[in-house]
Amino acid sequence: MDIAIIIIYTLALLVIFLYSLAQLNLLLNYLKSRKQDDNCPTFDLSKKEETPIVTIQLPVFNELYVMERLLDNIALLEYPNDKLEIQVLDDSTDESVESTAIHIEKLRQTGLDIHHICRDDRTGFKAGALKEGLKIAKGEFIAIFDADFLPGSKWLLQTIPYFKNENIGVVQTRWGHINRNYSMLTKIQAFALDFHFTMEQVGRNFKDHFINFNGTAGVWRKKCIEDAGNWQGDTLTEDLDLSYRAQLKKWKFKYLEDVETPAELPVVISAARSQQFRWNKGAAENFQKLYWKMLKDKTVPFKTKFHSFFHLLNSSMFLLVLLVAVLSVPIMYIKNNNPMFSWYFNVIAFFALSTIIFFFCYWHTFKKIHSGGFWNFMEYIKMFFTFFSIAMGFSVHNSMAVLEGHFGKKSEFVRTPKFNINTLKDSWKGNKYVNKNISGNTIIEALLMGYFAFAIYSAFKLQDFGLFLFHVMLFLGFGFVFFKSVTSKL
């Protein structure tokens, strides 16, 4: 039994280490990319023949609190009215349908070419709505925004010109966060998303590795969507699915780090849970759907296959982290009861290098967003350990999502409720879309909080503090997720 635990523990650490090396390579790519100038092409709006028609798609479902803000913001985009079409793809089933229709009519009277498109059912969910709108879209290019996104007025002028390169199928912009500092929950979400949208997306795109359209705040060439097989609703991350199919068809993606598109982060843990579940399960589904096809494609370079392996299995790291965490307690006792294994534990200490690599990579992202300096570095250290503690606290919930994805269990597309949050800390409590049920995973999280309290006790009992910090982070992470989940229902 001891040998089996040691083997599983070692293999999990090894995969996490390989993942950290992939991240380190992306950091090196990112640093190299900063030395290159990105000469953005332009076009003359006074020349009608040079200005393409653009369709903006706004897929929405029961977005009562943010629809007015979304529509008013989209109306401010600078682009010739005769070259712009707006589709509100509204699958809503509540009273927001009527208020949205009234607001759309007001905007139409200002000269906007805006349409309210409602379906009889939600077949295919978001993917189905986008596909339905594409059938009648006038635009050569399709810009997509979720309901909580607020692009700047010059957003189309900053993105559409890149399509002068006929090989480009997608232009994706970086997400910003309008409520980054609302709470600890929003701060850690921003911390994680900044890493993806800064280092990972740039690092992959710079070396022509596969990246993903992030579901919103980007533009597709309509021909690219159709050539890649159109939107498909058989996974929970239709954006990742279409992205990989398009790149397998040799379309190029362009990522714009310097064009920020602000959005609202979930402020209640049940909303963050539903979003995390969809993203993590969808990634696992897409690994099963697409990676083997990519692996057999001889035109895709080995290094791209390597990075895509960890890209599509990114969410599966939660499963490995949970496995390492749970096994780390029996590992402590095996170590203390079997002096013959002392050499082994000296060897696996090498895997602590993974944490150092992650620390270094995340610092570069943090520094890019917040700038450097001693006090910012101190703030970064606090955020790094807080983020990883809470991320580990989410590992049960996210691991369940990953397992469902890999084993093909289908589930409904659950939207993330939007809040249009104001400065009042409890202003979200009246939101009718907030899930008030306590997940069964919450009970497991409470039990794991107790389990890692025992691990902390064991460190003193055995006088072995090698994993003490790790176990404290796990205790605090599961405690945070558990108490937030319970108190947000009150």
Side-chain angles (χ1 to χ4, degrees):
M1 186 62 165
D2 288 356
I3 297 297
I5 291 173
I6 288 173
I7 291 172
I8 296 170
Y9 185 75
T10 305
L11 288 175
L13 285 175
L14 177 61
V15 176
I16 292 171
F17 177 66
L18 291 174
Y19 175 69
S20 74
L21 292 181
Q23 299 299 87
L24 180 60
N25 182 250
L26 291 180
L27 173 61
L28 296 175
N29 292 346
Y30 177 78
L31 295 175
K32 290 175 185 176
S33 76
R34 305 305 299 168
K35 299 175 183 178
Q36 279 195 347
D37 292 328
D38 183 15
N39 298 316
C40 175
T42 60
F43 54 74
D44 187 348
L45 291 178
S46 65
K47 297 178 180 177
K48 295 216 169 187
E49 69 280 1
E50 194 176 321
T51 307
I53 298 174
V54 175
T55 296
I56 296 176
Q57 291 187 325
L58 308 174
V60 299
F61 175 70
N62 293 351
E63 306 288 8
L64 181 65
Y65 303 100
V66 295
M67 280 308 300
E68 187 172 333
R69 182 182 72 178
L70 169 68
L71 294 171
D72 286 345
N73 187 81
I74 294 299
L76 296 175
L77 286 170
E78 295 178 17
Y79 208 76
N81 274 6
D82 61 336
K83 296 284 188 176
L84 183 64
E85 174 192 39
I86 302 170
Q87 292 181 339
V88 182
L89 307 173
D90 193 350
D91 280 356
S92 300
T93 57
D94 64 358
E95 66 271 29
S96 66
V97 177
E98 295 178 11
S99 57
T100 296
I102 292 170
H103 204 72
I104 286 173
E105 184 55 37
K106 288 179 182 177
L107 292 176
R108 188 180 289 121
Q109 291 173 8
T110 68
L112 276 180
D113 181 13
I114 183 168
H115 308 277
H116 194 195
I117 301 171
C118 300
R119 299 191 297 164
D120 294 332
D121 60 68
R122 293 182 68 205
T123 300
F125 305 108
K126 181 179 176 181
L130 294 169
K131 187 175 183 178
E132 194 70 22
L134 196 69
K135 293 177 183 176
I136 56 173
K138 301 174 186 175
E140 180 184 351
F141 303 104
I142 312 294
I144 300 171
F145 298 103
D146 283 348
D148 52 334
F149 278 74
L150 302 171
S153 60
K154 296 188 182 298
W155 194 91
L156 290 173
L157 305 180
Q158 294 171 307
T159 55
I160 297 299
Y162 284 95
F163 288 103
K164 283 191 169 184
N165 180 343
E166 294 185 358
N167 294 318
I168 288 181
V170 174
V171 173
Q172 173 69 52
T173 64
R174 177 172 59 86
W175 291 9
H177 319 291
I178 59 178
N179 61 332
R180 173 193 295 273
N181 295 317
Y182 180 82
S183 67
M184 181 54 68
L185 182 62
T186 58
K187 285 180 180 179
I188 62 165
Q189 290 176 86
F191 187 82
L193 288 169
D194 287 344
F195 182 72
H196 170 69
F197 280 97
T198 300
M199 196 200 78
E200 289 187 325
Q201 287 287 65
V202 175
R204 292 190 184 106
N205 196 218
F206 176 68
K207 287 294 187 178
D208 289 327
H209 302 318
F210 285 18
I211 68 168
N212 58 299
F213 167 67
N214 294 103
T216 177
V219 194
W220 283 84
R221 188 187 296 271
K222 185 177 181 180
K223 181 181 176 183
C224 173
I225 297 175
E226 294 169 339
D227 182 53
N230 216 320
W231 296 104
Q232 297 174 8
D234 57 344
T235 72
L236 291 181
T237 47
E238 73 294 321
D239 45 4
L240 180 60
D241 174 27
L242 184 57
S243 297
Y244 265 69
R245 285 188 280 117
Q247 288 165 108
L248 283 169
K249 285 276 191 174
K250 309 310 175 190
W251 287 97
K252 299 294 185 183
F253 281 34
K254 180 66 179 178
Y255 182 70
L256 302 181
E257 181 190 4
D258 294 331
V259 179
E260 180 181 358
T261 310
E264 183 181 289
L265 294 161
V267 298
V268 61
I269 201 162
S270 62
R273 276 180 179 275
S274 66
Q275 187 178 70
Q276 288 283 312
F277 187 91
R278 190 174 70 250
W279 288 351
N280 287 299
K281 181 174 180 177
E285 289 175 325
N286 276 293
F287 178 84
Q288 296 297 332
K289 178 179 179 178
L290 297 167
Y291 187 72
W292 309 112
K293 180 180 178 181
M294 176 194 230
L295 195 61
K296 290 184 281 187
D297 190 331
K298 295 180 180 179
T299 66
V300 178
F302 170 78
K303 203 165 186 179
T304 297
K305 291 176 181 177
F306 174 78
H307 277 290
S308 293
F309 178 83
F310 285 109
H311 184 195
L312 294 173
L313 283 184
N314 193 319
S315 61
S316 299
M317 292 301 116
F318 283 105
L319 189 57
L320 292 176
V321 167
L322 180 61
L323 188 62
V324 167
V326 171
L327 292 181
S328 65
V329 180
I331 282 287
M332 285 176 63
Y333 283 89
I334 292 171
K335 177 183 177 182
N336 279 270
N337 294 333
N338 297 275
M340 69 186 80
F341 288 140
S342 59
W343 64 269
Y344 160 77
F345 293 104
N346 290 331
V347 170
I348 65 169
F350 170 79
F351 289 123
L353 186 59
S354 298
T355 303
I356 297 170
I357 291 172
F358 289 132
F359 184 87
F360 190 61
C361 291
Y362 275 86
W363 165 240
H364 274 273
T365 299
F366 189 89
K367 184 169 61 173
K368 175 66 169 60
I369 302 291
H370 302 279
S371 77
F374 176 77
W375 292 114
N376 270 352
F377 184 67
M378 292 296 104
E379 177 66 21
Y380 166 71
I381 293 174
K382 181 178 79 173
M383 279 304 304
F384 179 83
F385 286 103
T386 301
F387 162 69
F388 271 92
S389 297
I390 296 174
M392 288 187 288
F394 272 97
S395 62
V396 169
H397 180 77
N398 291 342
S399 293
M400 295 297 184
V402 166
L403 289 172
E404 285 191 14
H406 283 305
F407 287 104
K409 181 181 178 181
K410 295 300 179 184
S411 57
E412 185 175 334
F413 184 105
V414 179
R415 61 179 283 282
T416 304
K418 315 300 190 304
F419 297 89
N420 197 4
I421 214 73
N422 58 38
T423 55
L424 297 175
K425 282 288 180 181
D426 292 332
S427 60
W428 58 268
K429 287 192 174 179
N431 190 301
K432 62 182 285 185
Y433 304 127
V434 171
N435 179 10
K436 295 184 171 57
N437 298 320
I438 294 180
S439 165
N441 292 336
T442 304
I443 307 303
I444 300 175
E445 288 153 2
L447 293 173
L448 284 170
M449 180 179 65
Y451 181 73
F452 291 111
F454 170 74
I456 294 170
Y457 159 78
S458 296
F460 290 95
K461 178 185 176 183
L462 301 173
Q463 287 298 294
D464 183 348
F465 296 96
L467 294 171
F468 183 75
L469 179 59
F470 182 49
H471 289 149
V472 169
M473 290 170 66
L474 285 160
F475 171 75
L476 294 175
F478 282 110
F480 177 89
V481 173
F482 169 69
F483 284 112
K484 277 288 184 181
S485 297
V486 173
T487 57
S488 68
K489 312 299 179 185
L490 302 179

